[in-house]
Amino acid sequence: EYLTGHLPTHLKGLDAALFGGIPFGALTELVGPAGIGKTQFCLKISVLATLPSCYGGLDGHVIYIDVESKFSSRRLIEIGLNSFPEIFHLEGMAKEMAGRITVLRPGSLTEFTESLQKIKVSLLQHQVKLLVVDSMAALVSGEYEQGPPRQHPLGWHISFIKSLAEFSRIPVVMTNQVRSRSATEISNYSFQGERRDDCGNFDSHLVAALGIHWAHAVTIRLVLESRSGKRFIKVAKSPMSPPLSFPFKITSSGILL
Ligand code: GTP
């Protein structure tokens, strides 16, 4: 009952399937292979969160945790200019909108932990309407964390992020990369039988990296995948939506259905 608002993605079928868009107060995960468009999706929703409400935005600020240095202000502004020319072409507006997005680049798991603590304070002080973590799995990908592997290194972080989402009632979107075969496996699996075995629809490598706790913490899971040269976005886990899949394109305006 905490799903009391949404960030519309402006991807019409997806918004309809999610009863308005990315829900406030919950974790939404984007899963898919490298290069499928997870970062492009995050850039688009960041633009949307900063847009004035009369254009269907949240008129807010965004905190964007850019683990792999994939955030691009140039691309963000390009998406804004092409999707909402009437706003982004106004004098100084592109800069103002981009300035509403705070990009954090933690260089280690310790710095990520510190970032989360700072975010908690920012959420109280600023009009933050979206938190993005791109990507979660990269935080525990060998090169990132030094030292011996621990079984569930992000257990605390996941609980903390979920509590941030619930207490601030903002949408929290996180990405995770899977091998391309796994993305298809995940989406084929997701709606078989009752969804009580949440971990069954989860990539085994991700479970190893993020822990089973992760699979349960996520409220909405969107799987981005490629089939016969086309890209699809599938609602693979949702408390209210059937397993719908929508084709999408990546253009100069960002992600489009
Ligand atoms: P990983 O981070 O490697 O897991 O990938 P990702 O899923 O985040 O992919 P990303 O969002 O970076 O998408 C990459 C794809 O987006 C590319 O294959 C391009 O097709 C498209 N793309 C990226 N930048 C642009 C751009 O400036 N213009 C257009 N038209 N497409 C772009």
Side-chain angles (χ1 to χ4, degrees), residues 33-40 70 75 78 177 231 250-251:
I36 193 75
K38 302 179 293 294
T39 300
Q40 298 300 310
K70 293 193 64 199
R75 175 67 173 145
E78 181 187 45
Q177 190 185 305
R231 295 176 211 251
I250 305 178
T251 71

Side-chain angles (χ1 to χ4, degrees), residues 18 44 115 120 124 138 167 175 179 193 209 230 235 248:
L18 299 177
K44 181 87 183 232
S115 301
K120 188 170 182 185
L124 295 171
F167 122 99
T175 69
R179 297 156 299 148
K230 276 186 155 181
V235 183
F248 73 91

Side-chain angles (χ1 to χ4, degrees), residues 70-211:
K70 293 193 64 199
F71 179 89
S72 157
S73 309
R74 183 203 57 77
R75 175 67 173 145
L76 180 100
I77 289 170
E78 181 187 45
I79 292 171
L81 283 168
N82 289 308
S83 308
F84 305 99
E86 60 281 42
I87 302 180
F88 274 78
H89 278 291
L90 294 174
E91 178 82 34
M93 203 45 118
K95 215 174 156 200
E96 143 81 18
M97 303 305 262
R100 288 176 171 219
I101 300 169
T102 303
V103 181
L104 304 176
R105 292 209 170 95
S108 65
L109 204 48
T110 310
E111 281 180 32
F112 179 62
T113 310
E114 288 163 5
S115 301
L116 291 180
Q117 308 278 8
K118 283 190 209 135
I119 287 168
K120 188 170 182 185
V121 179
S122 303
L123 288 177
L124 295 171
Q125 292 171 344
H126 305 294
Q127 285 286 72
V128 176
K129 294 288 174 67
L130 172 66
L131 170 62
V132 174
V133 183
D134 184 19
S135 86
M136 204 64 195
L139 284 161
V140 284
S141 71
E143 313 97 60
Y144 200 86
E145 198 196 9
Q146 302 287 310
R150 283 175 283 150
Q151 207 180 355
H152 300 309
L154 289 178
W156 177 87
H157 303 80
I158 291 160
S159 301
F160 191 82
I161 293 168
K162 194 170 169 71
S163 72
L164 283 181
E166 288 172 1
F167 122 99
S168 63
R169 295 178 178 272
I170 62 167
V172 175
V173 175
M174 347 206 44
T175 69
N176 278 313
Q177 190 185 305
V178 290
R179 297 156 299 148
S180 69
R181 198 172 55 87
S182 306
T184 310
E185 276 168 15
I186 290 169
S187 68
N188 288 342
Y189 236 111
S190 296
F191 283 87
Q192 285 175 5
E194 293 170 37
R195 279 180 281 164
R196 66 184 164 215
D197 182 11
D198 218 5
C199 310
N201 64 32
F202 210 65
D203 178 73
S204 57
H205 283 74
L206 269 181
V207 171
L210 299 176

